[in-house]
Amino acid sequence: MSQFWSPVVHRLTPYVPGEQPQLDNLIKLNTNEHPWGPSPKAVQAIHDAANDSLRLYPDPNADTLKHALAAHHGVQASQVFVGNGSDEVLAHAFMALLNHPGGLWFPDISYSFYPVYCQLYGITPHTVPLRDDFSICADDYLPQDGGRAGAIIFPNPNAPTGRALPLAEVERIVAGNPQAVVLVDEAYVDFGAESAVQLVERYPNLLVAHTFSKSRSLAGLRVGYAIGQAPLMEALERVKNSFNSYPLDRLALAGAVASVEDQAYFKEGCAKVMAVRETLVADLTALGFEVLPSAANFIFVQHPLHAGAELTAQLRERAIIVRHFKQARIRNFMRITIGTPAQCQALVEALKQIL
Ligand code: PMP
């Protein structure tokens, strides 16, 4: 605390990202990074860009990347907004589109950055409990006696549960709230869920956010984007251009374009992660864990006889890091990122010993 702080800063409780320890031989399964590297073509493009023109500012409109993403998703380049990681895209969306009377509705268990952005931008949060099985109930987001949403956001698949909402249910939420922006945060969609991008053409209130951090294995490059109809894009561009004209540097733009163009590498990487996930689910189920159905590159698990915090601590003693959350409803769970087959095998062996 300091007298020099602006009043809003006193009230902030910042988001705490998963730790990034700099230790050798650590099995790091705590921040949902991809276990294999990015497309070699992306790495080459970053090298080339570094040798080329770093003296110059990058394209403030990121046109080449927007066109590459538009071609990939079958939309117009004018329907794509890009930013410095999807966290920044989300932040701009909170400010530009999600601050309305009625508050912002989101699941009680979801991405913990949402309440932080609410605090930062003075948005009233309205949490909607997940069902007992941790699935999202679409009906709970429709206008009802208790009121109607000013705006809605949820991850699909949800984080940290990994559970996916079928596209028809997503559409019910979007169609049932024509007065409100619905932001579907699809950070993990490429690992087995259905994307709502195909609905953008029909719904002016739908915004879909994606990231290069997970399925494209470029968390270190910081690239995210959103797809929606032009009026939503204009609001995001207005905020972005009132904040930072160049959120994506030349290396990020070059790497991201090359990654999008390497469709074969992308698909193969997602398929490998999903295959390892199914093996890990089977192995942990055999050890007595309850594993929520996952369409993401992580799984959410609990054991009937062992507390999540205790298991997390014991894994840590064996140099395996997973994520534990303190929220009451999910205190017994661990969120485990899908690693390489060898890392997952080491995790299973460690858990066998601990149990
Ligand atoms: N949305 C969700 C649901 C996430 O879990 C994350 C990763 N922490 C993000 C968005 C942000 O990802 P990034 O900023 O790396 O694009």
Side-chain angles (χ1 to χ4, degrees), residues 15 85-87 90 111 155 159 185 187-188 211 213-214 222:
Y15 173 73
S86 60
D87 280 340
L90 294 176
Y111 186 28
D185 177 353
Y188 302 101
T211 177
S213 299
K214 317 296 180 182
R222 309 306 301 132

Short mmCIF file of all heavy atoms in Angstrom, two decimals, residues 15 85-87 90 111 155 159 185 187-188 211 213-214 222, ligand 1:
data_model
loop_
_atom_site.label_atom_id
_atom_site.label_comp_id
_atom_site.label_asym_id
_atom_site.label_seq_id
_atom_site.Cartn_x
_atom_site.Cartn_y
_atom_site.Cartn_z
N TYR A 15 -4.42 -11.59 -10.75
CA TYR A 15 -4.38 -12.99 -11.14
C TYR A 15 -2.99 -13.54 -10.81
O TYR A 15 -1.98 -12.85 -10.96
CB TYR A 15 -4.64 -13.09 -12.64
CG TYR A 15 -4.47 -14.46 -13.24
CD1 TYR A 15 -5.40 -15.46 -13.00
CD2 TYR A 15 -3.39 -14.76 -14.06
CE1 TYR A 15 -5.26 -16.73 -13.56
CE2 TYR A 15 -3.24 -16.02 -14.64
CZ TYR A 15 -4.18 -16.99 -14.37
OH TYR A 15 -4.02 -18.23 -14.93
N GLY A 85 -1.40 -12.44 -26.68
CA GLY A 85 -1.98 -13.52 -25.89
C GLY A 85 -3.48 -13.32 -25.80
O GLY A 85 -3.98 -12.20 -25.92
N SER A 86 -4.22 -14.42 -25.58
CA SER A 86 -5.67 -14.23 -25.50
C SER A 86 -6.03 -13.50 -24.21
O SER A 86 -7.09 -12.90 -24.12
CB SER A 86 -6.44 -15.53 -25.67
OG SER A 86 -6.11 -16.46 -24.71
N ASP A 87 -5.15 -13.51 -23.21
CA ASP A 87 -5.43 -12.71 -22.01
C ASP A 87 -5.63 -11.23 -22.38
O ASP A 87 -6.53 -10.57 -21.86
CB ASP A 87 -4.28 -12.82 -20.99
CG ASP A 87 -4.36 -14.09 -20.17
OD1 ASP A 87 -5.46 -14.69 -20.09
OD2 ASP A 87 -3.33 -14.49 -19.59
N LEU A 90 -8.92 -10.89 -24.20
CA LEU A 90 -10.01 -10.93 -23.22
C LEU A 90 -10.11 -9.60 -22.48
O LEU A 90 -11.20 -9.06 -22.29
CB LEU A 90 -9.79 -12.06 -22.21
CG LEU A 90 -9.85 -13.51 -22.73
CD1 LEU A 90 -9.52 -14.48 -21.60
CD2 LEU A 90 -11.20 -13.83 -23.33
N TYR A 111 -12.22 -19.82 -15.55
CA TYR A 111 -10.89 -19.20 -15.61
C TYR A 111 -10.80 -18.07 -14.58
O TYR A 111 -11.62 -17.14 -14.60
CB TYR A 111 -10.67 -18.67 -17.02
CG TYR A 111 -9.29 -18.14 -17.31
CD1 TYR A 111 -8.17 -18.60 -16.63
CD2 TYR A 111 -9.11 -17.18 -18.29
CE1 TYR A 111 -6.91 -18.11 -16.93
CE2 TYR A 111 -7.85 -16.68 -18.60
CZ TYR A 111 -6.76 -17.15 -17.90
OH TYR A 111 -5.51 -16.66 -18.20
N PRO A 155 -15.42 -20.44 -20.68
CA PRO A 155 -14.47 -21.18 -21.51
C PRO A 155 -15.16 -22.44 -22.03
O PRO A 155 -15.94 -23.06 -21.33
CB PRO A 155 -13.34 -21.56 -20.54
CG PRO A 155 -13.63 -20.85 -19.26
CD PRO A 155 -15.11 -20.60 -19.25
N ALA A 159 -12.30 -24.41 -18.10
CA ALA A 159 -11.08 -24.57 -17.32
C ALA A 159 -11.43 -24.19 -15.88
O ALA A 159 -12.14 -23.21 -15.70
CB ALA A 159 -9.99 -23.66 -17.86
N ASP A 185 -14.66 -18.53 -24.74
CA ASP A 185 -13.20 -18.56 -24.64
C ASP A 185 -12.73 -19.97 -25.00
O ASP A 185 -12.80 -20.89 -24.19
CB ASP A 185 -12.83 -18.18 -23.19
CG ASP A 185 -11.34 -18.24 -22.92
OD1 ASP A 185 -10.58 -18.69 -23.79
OD2 ASP A 185 -10.94 -17.84 -21.81
N ALA A 187 -9.82 -21.38 -25.60
CA ALA A 187 -8.37 -21.59 -25.47
C ALA A 187 -7.98 -23.05 -25.72
O ALA A 187 -6.90 -23.33 -26.24
CB ALA A 187 -7.90 -21.15 -24.08
N TYR A 188 -8.88 -23.99 -25.37
CA TYR A 188 -8.53 -25.42 -25.43
C TYR A 188 -9.34 -26.18 -26.46
O TYR A 188 -9.35 -27.40 -26.47
CB TYR A 188 -8.73 -26.04 -24.04
CG TYR A 188 -7.91 -25.36 -22.98
CD1 TYR A 188 -8.47 -24.43 -22.11
CD2 TYR A 188 -6.55 -25.61 -22.87
CE1 TYR A 188 -7.71 -23.78 -21.16
CE2 TYR A 188 -5.77 -24.97 -21.92
CZ TYR A 188 -6.36 -24.05 -21.06
OH TYR A 188 -5.59 -23.41 -20.13
N THR A 211 -6.27 -18.98 -28.76
CA THR A 211 -4.89 -18.66 -28.40
C THR A 211 -3.91 -19.55 -29.15
O THR A 211 -4.25 -20.68 -29.53
CB THR A 211 -4.66 -18.83 -26.89
OG1 THR A 211 -3.28 -18.56 -26.60
CG2 THR A 211 -4.98 -20.24 -26.40
N SER A 213 -1.23 -20.35 -27.54
CA SER A 213 -0.42 -20.84 -26.41
C SER A 213 -0.55 -22.33 -26.16
O SER A 213 0.33 -22.93 -25.54
CB SER A 213 -0.82 -20.11 -25.13
OG SER A 213 -0.60 -18.73 -25.25
N LYS A 214 -1.66 -22.93 -26.57
CA LYS A 214 -1.92 -24.32 -26.20
C LYS A 214 -1.72 -25.24 -27.40
O LYS A 214 -0.69 -25.89 -27.52
CB LYS A 214 -3.34 -24.46 -25.64
CG LYS A 214 -3.74 -23.36 -24.66
CD LYS A 214 -2.91 -23.35 -23.40
CE LYS A 214 -3.37 -22.22 -22.47
NZ LYS A 214 -2.57 -22.14 -21.26
N ARG A 222 3.19 -15.26 -27.16
CA ARG A 222 2.09 -14.38 -26.74
C ARG A 222 1.26 -13.90 -27.93
O ARG A 222 1.36 -12.75 -28.36
CB ARG A 222 2.62 -13.17 -25.94
CG ARG A 222 3.54 -13.49 -24.79
CD ARG A 222 2.96 -14.50 -23.81
NE ARG A 222 1.73 -14.05 -23.23
CZ ARG A 222 0.62 -14.83 -23.15
NH1 ARG A 222 0.62 -16.06 -23.59
NH2 ARG A 222 -0.46 -14.36 -22.60
N1 PMP B 1 -8.38 -18.61 -21.41
C1 PMP B 1 -8.23 -19.69 -20.64
C2 PMP B 1 -9.43 -20.47 -20.26
C3 PMP B 1 -6.95 -20.06 -20.21
O1 PMP B 1 -6.79 -21.13 -19.41
C4 PMP B 1 -5.84 -19.31 -20.60
C5 PMP B 1 -4.44 -19.71 -20.16
N2 PMP B 1 -4.10 -19.32 -18.87
C6 PMP B 1 -6.05 -18.18 -21.38
C7 PMP B 1 -7.32 -17.86 -21.79
C8 PMP B 1 -4.94 -17.24 -21.77
O2 PMP B 1 -4.00 -17.78 -22.62
P1 PMP B 1 -2.93 -16.86 -23.35
O3 PMP B 1 -2.95 -15.49 -22.73
O4 PMP B 1 -1.64 -17.56 -23.16
O5 PMP B 1 -3.37 -16.81 -24.78
#
